[in-house]
């Protein structure tokens, strides 16, 4: 009997092992098959649009606002494409170049870019860690811990809200940011928020109330709920000097009474710009105004908007000596009148999209809208880098209607008709393609290497994404219910008027001071530092011919819908 039981147990053990082995083999085979199929689909999708698959240019361009001189010099006979996204008038046209082909191509591109977005979001964290590594390197330089303080979020003592980092905040990171902006104290709250100031909060709290651990540094105090862990900012390294980033804003006509216009003033013999900037920084004002031996500190306001600059010679000649004009400098202190943001208290009745091709300035436009209105924007995607830096709407579901508008790069009838209205942001495709290529290979703030630009990745990228730039606009023109067209270049050139248009389109009211604050903080946290010049031309003539045909097509489509055509600078001269 015992022998029978032993044999049965041995058989069951063998059977269990065999079942486990077969299950593992089945799962491995399925995974390999899935990976192979995915790679095949991606390879097919990334082949992009060849030059002969481009949108065709109408033969007659008399009514088109943008004309490429090369096209006029070398006219090519070819079929006419009706740009209203309607049916073609010439049935003999090759169906590969018809609007139906473009719709099919859009479907391919949507699948391609969705896979790319998911892959980019999961892979982008290593790209964004350069600054974090530097923070780890200086983690031992934490300054002097002053204590835990109570803080009213509506009336903060440390008013210089510098930034949020919801995943990687450290004490040294906050301290460095405050040092660069000439502040004396760095305060951290909620484990992820950094504030700066020159005056200590007046209400001390119990040490244990600052119990939140820094998100990026275990064992460090980063405040709590309405509690600040305050550190005195100190030099990061022996002999290192704090950076005083004073920016010359220009020469302006002085208001009639400077003392009434600005809340802080100083009269100093032999006054220098450095003296005035240091004085205004300690007073926590973003503007330093110099007129002779007078120094005045304050904000841009309706009485002093900094929009109409004067000739710089007027500040140094007789007019400057008579006090009619003054020189204005921006101190390292942040203008905090528009940094507070929140979710909508009630669900929005209108579902508004902020739509653009990638690289067209969507993140910048979100920064402007959020700071102008005081409400978060949402996103069709989840970008961890944006969420970490304070775009809290990234983590909110895109259909929650708790955000004022929703970022999207999608196109196609179904995706567009979900929205009641949309702000359509358009940028020069040459600039958009380069910006998106930089982001794809170097993150939001980096630049792709010259080696990457010269590899086959770049021409493949242009072939795949140039047609997306055109089809994105064409689809929104066809299926969008209510559109506001904003050209990126116009927004840069006339920030306040264009921003007012956007805010009014969103059915929001905004104060003049808040708009002026946005203008004072116009760049945000995701502006690449300068234009990195290349010693070679990234666009070949074949690429230019392809992109220029798309530009002409989109320009005619916009004019056909009674919108302003594309700026003439879009076609390279």
């Amino acid at each position: 009997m015992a022998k029978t039981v032993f044999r049965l147990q041995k058989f069951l053990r063998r059977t269990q092992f065999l079942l486990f082995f077969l299950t593992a083999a089945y799962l491995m085979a399925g995974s390999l098959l899935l990976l192979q199929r995915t790679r095949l689909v991606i390879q097919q999708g990334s082949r992009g649009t060849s030059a002969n698959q481009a949108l065709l240019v109408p033969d007659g361009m008399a009514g088109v606002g943008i004309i490429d001189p090369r096209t006029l010099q070398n006219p090519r006979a070819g079929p006419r494409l009706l740009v209203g996204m309607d049916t073609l008038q010439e049935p003999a046209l090759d169906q590969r170049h018809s609007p139906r082909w473009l719709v099919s191509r859009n479907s391919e591109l949507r699948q391609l870019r969705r896979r790319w977005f998911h892959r980019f979001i999961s892979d982008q964290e290593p790209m964004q860690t350069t600054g974090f590594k530097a923070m780890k390197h200086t983690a031992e330089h934490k300054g002097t811990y002053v204590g835990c303080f109570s803080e009213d979020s509506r009336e903060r003592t440390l008013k210089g809200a510098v930034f949020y980092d919801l995943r990687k905040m450290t004490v040294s990171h906050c301290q460095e940011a405050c040092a660069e902006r000439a502040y004396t104290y760095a305060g951290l709250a909620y484990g992820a928020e950094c504030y700066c100031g020159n005056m200590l909060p007046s209400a001390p709290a119990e040490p244990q109330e600052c119990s939140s651990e820094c998100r990026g540094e275990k064992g460090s105090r980063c405040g709590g709920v309405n509690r600040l862990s305050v550190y005195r900012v100190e030099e990061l390294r022996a002999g290192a000097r704090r950076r005083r980033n004073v920016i010359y804003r220009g020469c302006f006509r002085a208001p009639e009474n400077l003392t009434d216009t600005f809340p802080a003033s100083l009269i100093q013999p032999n006054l220098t710009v450095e003296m005035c900037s240091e004085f205004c920084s300690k007073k926590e004002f973003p503007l330093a105004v110099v007129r002779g031996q007078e120094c005045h500190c304050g904000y841009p306001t309706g009485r002093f908007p900094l929009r109409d600059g004067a000739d710089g010679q007027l500040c140094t000649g007789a007019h400057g000596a008579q006090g009619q004009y003054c020189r204005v400098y921006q101190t390292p202190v942040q203008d905090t009148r528009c940094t507070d943001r929140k979710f909508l208290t009630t669900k929005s009745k209108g579902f508004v999209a902020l739509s653009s091709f990638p690289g067209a300035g969507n993140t910048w436009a979100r920064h402007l809208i959020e700071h102008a209105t005081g409400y978060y924007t949402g996103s069709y995607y989840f970008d961890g880098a944006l969420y970490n830096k304070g775009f809290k709407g990234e983590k909110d579901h895109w259909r929650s209607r708790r955000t004022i508008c929703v970022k999207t790069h999608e196109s196609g009838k179904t995706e567009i008709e979900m929205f009641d209205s949309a702000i359509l942001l358009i940028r020069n495709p040459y600039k958009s393609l380069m910006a998106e290529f930089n982001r794809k290979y170097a993150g939001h703030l980096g630049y792709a290497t010259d080696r990457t630009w010269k590899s086959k990745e770049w021409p493949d990228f242009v072939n795949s994404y140039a047609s997306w730039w055109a089809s994105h606009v064409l689809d929104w023109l066809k299926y969008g219910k209510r559109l506001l067209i904003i050209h990126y270049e116009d927004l840069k050139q006339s920030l306040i008027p264009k921003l007012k248009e956007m805010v009014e389109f969103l059915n929001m009211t905004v104060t003049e001071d808040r708009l002026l604050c946005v203008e004072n903080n116009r760049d945000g946290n995701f502006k690449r530092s300068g234009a990195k010049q290349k010693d070679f031309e990234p666009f070949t003539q074949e690429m230019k011919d392809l992109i220029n045909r798309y530009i002409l097509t989109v320009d005619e489509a916009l004019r056909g819908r009674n919108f302003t055509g594309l700026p003439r600078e879009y076609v390279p001269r």
Side-chain angles (χ1 to χ4, degrees), residues 184-469:
T184 303
Y185 297 103
L188 298 104
Y190 301 97
E193 300 180 2
C194 174
Y195 299 90
C196 306
N198 291 325
M199 294 180 292
L200 280 174
S202 57
E206 294 298 325
Q208 61 270 21
E209 294 181 26
C210 288
S211 56
S212 295
E213 188 176 70
C214 298
R215 299 288 179 87
E217 188 175 24
K218 291 184 178 180
S220 295
R221 302 172 183 173
C222 277
V225 179
N226 291 328
R227 296 293 184 269
L228 282 175
S229 293
V230 179
Y231 295 80
R232 181 182 292 274
V233 173
E234 296 181 356
E235 301 294 350
L236 303 179
R237 302 172 189 83
R241 297 184 59 187
R242 298 177 188 172
R243 285 180 283 173
R244 303 288 197 225
N245 299 322
V246 180
I247 302 171
Y248 178 60
R249 296 293 301 271
C251 178
F252 297 87
R253 177 177 287 276
E256 293 183 3
N257 193 325
L258 282 171
T259 305
D260 290 344
T261 304
F262 300 108
S265 302
L266 170 71
I267 298 178
Q268 178 75 40
N270 301 319
L271 180 72
T272 64
V273 173
E274 290 74 18
M275 290 178 185
C276 186
S277 174
E278 188 78 16
F279 173 75
C280 294
S281 295
K282 288 182 178 179
K283 294 290 184 180
E284 299 187 2
F285 290 109
L287 290 187
V289 180
V290 179
R291 183 179 68 172
Q293 297 184 4
E294 300 176 14
C295 171
H296 301 273
C297 313
Y299 302 95
T301 62
R303 297 178 62 181
F304 196 66
L306 298 185
R307 291 179 190 165
D308 300 319
D311 188 342
Q313 297 295 326
L314 295 174
C315 283
T316 57
H319 294 281
Q322 295 173 8
Q324 297 180 21
Y325 293 88
C326 55
R327 291 173 291 155
V328 180
Y329 299 85
Q330 189 162 334
T331 72
V333 175
Q334 185 181 24
D335 191 339
T336 59
R337 295 174 297 169
C338 57
T339 54
D340 58 305
R341 290 162 291 167
K342 60 183 178 181
F343 289 103
L344 294 173
T345 53
T346 58
K347 288 188 177 181
S348 172
K349 295 180 180 179
F351 195 32
V352 187
L354 178 62
S355 179
S356 74
F357 176 79
N362 201 302
T363 301
W364 180 51
R366 291 176 68 187
H367 161 79
L368 297 174
I369 291 171
E370 288 193 4
H371 286 75
T373 63
Y375 292 105
Y376 288 116
T377 58
S379 177
Y380 187 80
Y381 321 96
F382 171 70
D383 190 328
L386 296 181
Y387 173 75
N388 293 341
K389 297 301 182 184
F391 284 89
K392 293 185 178 180
E394 283 288 321
K395 208 167 186 179
D396 210 51
H397 192 275
W398 64 280
R399 300 195 76 164
S400 70
R401 294 182 180 258
R402 296 201 310 153
T403 55
I404 193 168
C405 60
V406 177
K407 162 189 172 179
T408 181
H409 299 309
E410 297 299 309
S411 56
K413 186 175 186 295
T414 302
E415 289 81 358
I416 293 172
E417 290 184 345
M418 292 187 297
F419 295 96
D420 301 317
S421 56
I423 297 173
L424 180 58
L425 186 63
I426 304 175
R427 186 183 184 185
N428 187 325
Y430 288 94
K431 300 292 180 63
S432 294
L433 288 168
M434 293 179 69
E436 184 61 11
F437 192 73
N438 277 322
R439 190 182 75 155
K440 181 177 180 181
Y441 288 97
H444 283 281
L445 300 177
Y447 290 91
T449 63
D450 288 352
R451 181 179 179 181
T452 307
W453 284 101
K454 294 178 181 179
S455 70
K456 72 179 188 65
E457 297 288 340
W458 171 237
D460 288 347
F461 179 86
V462 172
N463 285 334
S464 294
Y465 285 79
S467 61
W468 176 10
W469 176 87

Side-chain angles (χ1 to χ4, degrees), residues 104-120:
S104 173
R105 175 63 181 151
N106 283 347
S107 179
E108 289 182 38
L109 284 172
R110 282 199 297 275
Q111 297 299 323
L112 171 66
R113 61 180 179 264
R114 279 174 180 163
R115 284 192 296 271
W116 180 85
F117 267 107
H118 288 299
R119 187 168 66 251
F120 173 75

